[in-house]
């Protein structure tokens, strides 16, 4: 992965250097400077299609800062949609509709222009932006999907690939065993008997359930309370939600734990950090990198389709008796 990332940055540097020396940049109707390096690809983007791309975004000027680099990580997916008439835009997305499979795009956004166009209020600029800077973005189109469903399936496959690569790296470094040991030591200290799942989570089964089994493609409604292993503090719940198993709707360890139950089942799922939110917890979440978690769960429903939302309808007002 490290080699791929370095290759991505090298590619960015090479393309950006060429771009700065190249006089063939075009200007979009909204003032964006861009250059498309064609590949003679046949598949073209259009409204309704989804682009899968590698991307590097860098700020240059008072100091150089890499804002994004997808090489060796999850590719960037974006849908092609028409912009509403009159909507101001000063963004590479304006020219995505011109791309074909295999094309590369270099797009330059000038901070001064973004401020002038009202797209970036000067008083709200992050510290890594200064007047006079420019944001250079490079893209490489890997695939163009004709529908959102095809793109979502590919996105899920890419997530699984990234997770597998990350897990292999953790295993080689010994970090996977360390994270598993944290949960095992917790269970031993608390004298909790739990069974290890195929992926490496641990499940305490209080009641296995007697209804339909939790399995891939099934829609499962689960009641839960989420807690942290290291201090037993509650971070969410009690709560409930419905998810489809096997499509990435929940963290891997949680789903693998649910698979050990049937409808009506109840228990606790203990999850090592690599099967929870991993190295990159959601922004603003209360989780640290590779933080182990556990969930007290109850399987409320298992079905083949998304259950209809339950709407609470108040009873009609009681009729008043006739006055005498």
């Amino acid at each position: 992965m490290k080699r791929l990332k370095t290759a991505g940055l090298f590619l960015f540097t090479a393309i950006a250097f060429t771009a700065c020396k190249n006089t063939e940049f075009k200007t979009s109707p909204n003032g964006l400077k861009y250059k498309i390096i064609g590949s003679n690809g046949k598949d073209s983007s259009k409204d309704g299609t989804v682009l899968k791309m590698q991307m590097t975004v860098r700020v240059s000027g008072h100091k150089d800062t890499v804002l994004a680099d997808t090489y060796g990580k999850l590719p960037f997916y974006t849908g092609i949609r028409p912009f509403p008439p009159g909507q101001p835009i000063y963004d590479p997305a304006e020219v995505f509709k011109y791309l074909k499979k295999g094309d590369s795009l270099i797009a330059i956004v000038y901070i001064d222009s973004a401020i002038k166009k009202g797209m970036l209020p000067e008083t709200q600029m992050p510290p890594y932006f200064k007047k006079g800077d420019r944001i250079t973005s490079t893209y490489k189109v890997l695939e163009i999907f004709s529908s959102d469903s095809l793109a979502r399936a590919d996105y899920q496959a890419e997530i699984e690939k990234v997770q597998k690569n990350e897990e292999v790296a953790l295993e080689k470094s010994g970090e996977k065993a360390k994270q598993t040991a944290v949960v095992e030591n917790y269970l031993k200290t608390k004298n909790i008997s739990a069974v290890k799942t195929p992926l490496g989570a641990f499940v305490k089964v209080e009641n296995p359930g007697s209804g339909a089994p939790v399995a891939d493609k099934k829609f499962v409604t689960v009641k839960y309370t989420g807690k942290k292993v290291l201090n037993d503090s509650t971070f969410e719940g009690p709560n409930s939600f419905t998810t489809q198993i096997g499509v990435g709707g929940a963290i891997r360890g949680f789903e693998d734990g649910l698979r050990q139950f049937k409808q009506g089942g109840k228990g606790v799922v203990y999850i090592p950090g690599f099967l929870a939110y991993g190295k990159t917890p959601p922004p603003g979440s209360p989780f640290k990198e590779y933080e182990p978690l556990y969930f007290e769960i109850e399987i409320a429903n298992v079905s083949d389709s998304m259950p209809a939302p339950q709407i609470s309808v108040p009873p009609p007002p009681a009729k008043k008796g006739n006055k005498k």
Side-chain angles (χ1 to χ4, degrees):
M1 290 178 68
K2 188 173 181 180
R3 189 184 307 130
L4 283 172
K5 183 174 181 180
T6 304
L9 288 173
F10 175 80
L11 176 63
F12 169 85
T13 304
I15 292 177
F17 177 80
T18 303
C20 292
K21 300 295 183 181
N22 201 308
T23 59
E24 296 180 11
F25 268 70
K26 296 181 180 180
T27 304
S28 75
N30 290 290
L32 180 79
K33 295 292 185 183
Y34 73 97
K35 177 178 175 63
I36 295 175
I37 302 171
S39 65
N40 298 318
K42 295 181 180 180
D43 295 334
S44 300
S45 55
K46 58 184 178 181
D47 288 349
T49 60
V50 179
L51 296 175
K52 173 185 179 182
M53 300 186 285
Q54 296 287 18
M55 171 183 71
T56 307
V57 182
R58 184 175 188 135
V59 180
S60 302
H62 75 291
K63 64 177 182 178
D64 289 351
T65 303
V66 177
L67 298 181
D69 176 19
T70 67
Y71 285 86
K73 304 175 186 176
L74 191 66
F76 172 58
Y77 293 78
T78 185
I80 304 297
R81 301 287 185 272
F83 293 98
Q87 175 181 317
I89 179 172
Y90 185 53
D91 187 277
E94 182 186 4
V95 298
F96 285 167
K97 61 186 177 183
Y98 303 139
L99 296 174
K100 296 181 179 180
K101 181 178 177 179
D103 283 357
S104 295
L105 167 68
I106 309 158
I108 301 175
V109 170
Y110 295 92
I111 296 297
D112 290 358
S113 296
I115 294 172
K116 185 177 180 180
K117 293 173 179 292
M119 306 296 292
L120 180 64
E122 189 173 355
T123 56
Q124 298 178 18
M125 282 199 306
Y128 44 82
F129 286 168
K130 297 292 182 184
K131 294 184 71 174
D133 287 354
R134 66 179 182 272
I135 304 171
T136 303
S137 304
T138 65
Y139 303 88
K140 174 70 174 180
V141 182
L142 304 177
E143 190 61 75
I144 298 177
F145 299 100
S146 59
S147 68
D148 287 342
S149 60
L150 291 173
R152 281 195 297 268
D154 188 82
Y155 174 75
Q156 182 59 33
E158 286 289 350
I159 287 179
E160 292 173 359
K161 187 189 302 182
V162 170
Q163 289 172 338
K164 184 176 180 180
N165 290 341
E166 182 179 322
E167 202 165 317
V168 168
L170 288 173
E171 194 159 6
K172 287 183 178 179
S173 68
E175 187 61 31
K176 180 179 177 180
K178 290 180 182 178
Q179 292 180 28
T180 299
V182 169
V183 177
E184 289 176 328
N185 290 337
Y186 172 87
L187 296 173
K188 184 177 180 180
T189 300
K190 299 285 186 176
N191 197 27
I192 297 171
S193 178
V195 177
K196 194 173 184 179
T197 69
L199 288 183
F202 295 84
V203 173
K204 174 187 175 184
V205 179
E206 298 171 1
N207 176 8
S210 57
V214 176
D216 284 352
K217 305 302 181 183
K218 296 287 187 179
F219 289 86
V220 178
T221 300
V222 56
K223 299 177 182 178
Y224 69 94
T225 296
K227 298 185 178 183
K228 298 185 176 184
V229 165
L230 298 181
N231 58 14
D232 288 314
S233 63
T234 299
F235 61 84
E236 186 177 1
N239 208 338
S240 68
F241 85 120
T242 300
T243 184
Q244 187 177 22
I245 302 298
V247 297
I251 58 177
R252 295 170 68 209
F254 184 78
E255 280 197 351
D256 204 42
L258 296 184
R259 289 187 182 97
Q260 315 311 310
F261 295 88
K262 297 179 180 179
Q263 182 170 313
K266 188 176 182 180
V268 187
V269 181
Y270 301 90
I271 308 172
F274 69 91
L275 289 174
Y277 289 101
K279 187 176 182 179
T280 54
S285 73
F287 310 120
K288 298 178 182 178
E289 181 178 300
Y290 292 119
E291 186 163 19
L293 309 172
Y294 69 92
F295 293 85
E296 299 166 349
I297 63 100
E298 181 178 353
I299 309 298
N301 187 64
V302 178
S303 62
D304 293 324
S305 59
M306 176 67 79
Q310 299 297 312
I311 301 174
S312 179
V313 180
K319 292 182 179 180
K320 295 181 179 180
N322 294 328
K323 292 183 179 180
K324 293 184 179 179

